[in-house]
Amino acid sequence: MALDRVAAESAFLHLLVEQLRPSAPDGHLALVKLLDHIAGMVGGHAAVITPDTRVIGRDDASSSLLRAHGSATAKRVREGALGAACLVLPGSYVQIVGIGSLRPRPVILVAGRAQYPRWVADLVNYAALALGASSTPSRLARGEHELAPAVHTARAAILTHLMAGDVTAARRLARPVLPGVLDTSPTRVFLVECPPGSRTLSLESCRRALAGAALAAADPHCPDHVVVVAPPPRSPHTDEVRRALKELVEARSIAAVGESGPVELDRFRDAYDMAARALRVARRRPERIALHSDGKQLAQHLPDSARGWAQAYLTPFQELSDEERFDLLSIVGEVLHTGHAAAAEKISLNRKTVAARWNRAGSVLGVDLRDMRVRAELNLALELAQTQSQSAPGGTREPALSLAEILHSPAALAWAQELTAPLRRDARPLLRTVTAWIAANGRIEECAQHLDAHPNTVRNHLAACERLLGRRLVGRSGGAHDLVIALRIQSAARRGR
């Protein structure tokens, strides 16, 4: 019900703005659309009746509206003795609100079968205020200010839908408030860090600077963050978003910005995670802004022939029915990146069902998915399989590579060295710790015993690795997959010398 209210308020605001827009090609039609929307909210009728009794609306108005307009109470509203009034008539509840200050004046009449919620009545009052004051900018501005809470709530609801993976609902809510912003996919996410205790001011600064080119809403997961969702990176709007946020950082209205790579809207959480990793990097940079490096994925550094290994690795899935293959692959992708619990919530399945399909996927492939090294291999196979071929149509394909050849390639080694460079530069033995942790399959106590160190030392080293790499390692977040592969590549390179 709350989201229905948000959607209704958002659509109302959009239609009211269209009616008040000086360049509107047909003001009468815009007003009729606004009245239609109000009638839909109350499940009845709405019309504007002028002093000469001309009816503006979709039809000739209901009998209840005409009876109300002929009442002594309505006459007092038309003549300015009353600002507004309500009448209870047989089978209907009618709200009458005066428009403007002329005498006599037009009125809005809204009739529902029963008394409707107070917030709907408030919207009718806002409409009358805005229509009557449209020639007075200062009064109109006050009316828009009163509507601002509804718009803010709508933006928060849009972000909530995106985080839940409900793109259809998010787009439906966004169209009246931010037309065009979510209509295309992929999109990018900017995670904005605000100075402590000043998120409200920073959020308003973002919205003014973005001027409708992107969604800006408070991050429900962090009290000092704002989430900005922008159209595709190659559109002019995204350039405006980047430039606007950079200027806000320079003006110190916001503290830092992390930008994701392009991601389809139904994988919004992945984009959010990318932006969060980029934000950690941005905090350490003088310019305080960072873009998530798409090049950090090994799959994008490898030749097209590397896909042959991935296709062979995933071949057992092709022997399943289309339905089972789809079910298993969708579960595998989510669990690899978010873990069982988050995957179950996103796909709206029971956790036991998710666990059963995850185990079934391991059986189909003939691998033990409890091993984080196996999970990293599977993740690489899926990334390679999803990478679009860059070879020209009809061109000669290179022979497929084996996994060993992939891991020994110069491109893979360069990628691995770049990824682990922050750990090598640190004075602490972070590479030694994380290598032992992977060998212990993520078990901290076993890793500590192998290193003859305290478990808290291992935890501290892993936390330092997470900060330096800008990704979560501990837990089923998917952040460890690349590091597992990178260390395996470097180990193979050392053995090959």
Side-chain angles (χ1 to χ4, degrees):
M1 183 63 70
L3 289 179
D4 290 342
R5 172 179 173 178
V6 169
E9 289 178 331
S10 302
F12 169 86
L13 176 63
H14 175 66
L15 292 168
L16 183 58
V17 169
E18 284 298 304
Q19 161 63 26
L20 300 174
R21 189 161 53 91
S23 59
D26 190 340
H28 177 83
L29 179 59
L31 179 56
V32 170
K33 288 181 179 179
L34 176 64
L35 293 168
D36 280 352
H37 182 69
I38 293 173
M41 288 193 291
V42 302
H45 303 271
V48 168
I49 301 183
T50 65
D52 59 358
T53 67
R54 183 167 56 93
V55 178
I56 301 174
R58 181 63 64 182
D59 48 35
D60 292 332
S62 68
S63 58
S64 58
L65 288 185
L66 295 176
R67 288 201 309 272
H69 187 258
S71 68
T73 301
K75 181 179 179 181
R76 296 184 68 194
V77 175
R78 289 197 304 274
E79 293 177 350
L82 292 176
C86 294
L87 294 177
V88 179
L89 301 176
S92 64
Y93 173 86
V94 183
Q95 181 183 4
I96 310 168
V97 187
I99 301 174
S101 57
L102 297 176
R103 302 293 184 269
R105 59 183 177 173
V107 292
I108 294 181
L109 293 98
V110 179
R113 287 186 292 273
Q115 184 170 354
Y116 37 83
R118 175 62 182 271
W119 63 268
V120 177
D122 287 342
L123 292 182
V124 176
N125 289 330
Y126 293 151
L129 170 68
L131 291 170
S134 57
S135 60
T136 309
S138 61
R139 291 174 66 189
L140 178 57
R142 288 200 296 272
E144 289 177 345
H145 176 72
E146 290 174 347
L147 284 169
V151 182
H152 293 178
T153 304
R155 287 170 173 152
I158 294 166
L159 181 60
T160 299
H161 279 308
L162 287 175
M163 287 189 162
D166 192 344
V167 177
T168 301
R171 281 175 167 158
R172 186 178 66 246
L173 283 175
R175 284 187 185 113
V177 183
L178 295 163
V181 169
L182 298 185
D183 288 349
T184 54
S185 190
T187 191
R188 284 200 174 192
V189 173
F190 299 79
L191 194 57
V192 176
E193 188 165 74
C194 311
S198 64
R199 180 165 74 175
T200 300
L201 291 175
S202 296
L203 179 55
E204 286 305 313
S205 296
C206 288
R207 287 176 178 166
R208 285 196 300 271
L210 295 172
L215 167 69
D219 185 348
H221 301 304
C222 181
D224 290 327
H225 287 175
V226 167
V227 180
V228 174
V229 185
R234 292 184 181 178
S235 75
H237 288 304
T238 305
D239 291 336
E240 292 174 11
V241 170
R242 289 174 181 161
R243 182 166 54 253
L245 293 177
K246 183 178 179 181
E247 289 173 357
L248 289 176
V249 170
E250 292 170 350
R252 302 198 175 185
S253 298
I254 57 179
V257 179
E259 179 185 352
S260 78
V263 172
E264 297 298 321
L265 272 174
D266 60 358
R267 298 196 67 86
F268 177 84
R269 289 304 297 262
D270 291 343
Y272 178 89
D273 290 342
M274 284 187 211
R277 292 196 289 270
L279 180 60
R280 297 186 190 107
V281 175
R283 292 187 189 114
R284 303 192 300 270
R285 289 185 173 178
E287 64 273 23
R288 309 287 286 176
I289 189 165
L291 168 66
H292 181 273
S293 174
D294 295 325
K296 292 288 180 69
Q297 273 196 355
L298 175 59
Q300 296 179 352
H301 284 265
L302 297 175
D304 191 58
S305 54
R307 297 178 69 218
W309 165 78
Q311 291 167 350
Y313 187 98
L314 300 171
T315 291
F317 284 125
Q318 301 305 317
E319 300 171 3
L320 306 176
S321 67
D322 290 345
E323 181 179 358
E324 184 178 15
R325 181 170 62 254
F326 175 81
D327 287 343
L328 294 188
L329 286 175
S330 62
I331 288 291
V332 165
E334 288 299 330
V335 173
L336 281 173
H337 287 92
T338 65
H340 285 79
E345 182 179 355
K346 179 173 181 180
I347 306 174
S348 300
L349 288 177
N350 184 282
R351 292 188 186 187
K352 290 183 178 179
T353 302
V354 171
R357 291 183 183 178
W358 172 257
N359 293 335
R360 167 67 175 153
S363 298
V364 169
L365 293 173
V367 297
D368 183 1
L369 292 177
R370 294 172 298 180
D371 190 325
M372 64 190 302
R373 291 161 295 193
V374 172
R375 293 196 298 272
E377 260 187 37
L378 174 56
N379 183 68
L380 176 60
L382 290 172
E383 287 180 353
L384 281 167
Q386 292 167 3
T387 302
Q388 293 297 318
S389 174
Q390 300 299 314
S391 59
T396 304
R397 290 186 175 273
E398 301 175 41
L401 299 175
S402 66
L403 179 58
E405 290 171 323
I406 291 171
L407 300 184
H408 277 87
S409 68
L413 181 58
W415 169 84
Q417 289 174 336
E418 180 186 356
L419 181 66
T420 59
L423 307 187
R424 292 197 305 273
R425 288 193 293 264
D426 196 276
R428 292 162 292 184
L430 299 183
L431 276 175
R432 179 171 178 263
T433 299
V434 78
T435 300
W437 173 70
I438 292 170
N441 200 28
R443 292 184 287 269
I444 288 178
E445 297 287 344
E446 183 178 327
C447 173
Q449 186 176 4
H450 174 77
L451 295 173
D452 194 22
H454 195 280
N456 284 344
T457 301
V458 174
R459 293 187 182 94
N460 290 338
H461 283 188
L462 291 174
C465 291
E466 289 181 329
R467 287 193 299 272
L468 291 170
L469 297 175
R471 63 182 68 205
R472 282 189 60 192
L473 300 178
V474 181
R476 293 289 186 87
S477 67
H481 301 321
D482 283 348
L483 183 59
V484 171
I485 295 295
L487 293 177
R488 181 172 172 181
I489 290 170
Q490 290 178 309
S491 175
R494 287 193 297 271
R495 289 197 306 270
R497 288 173 185 162

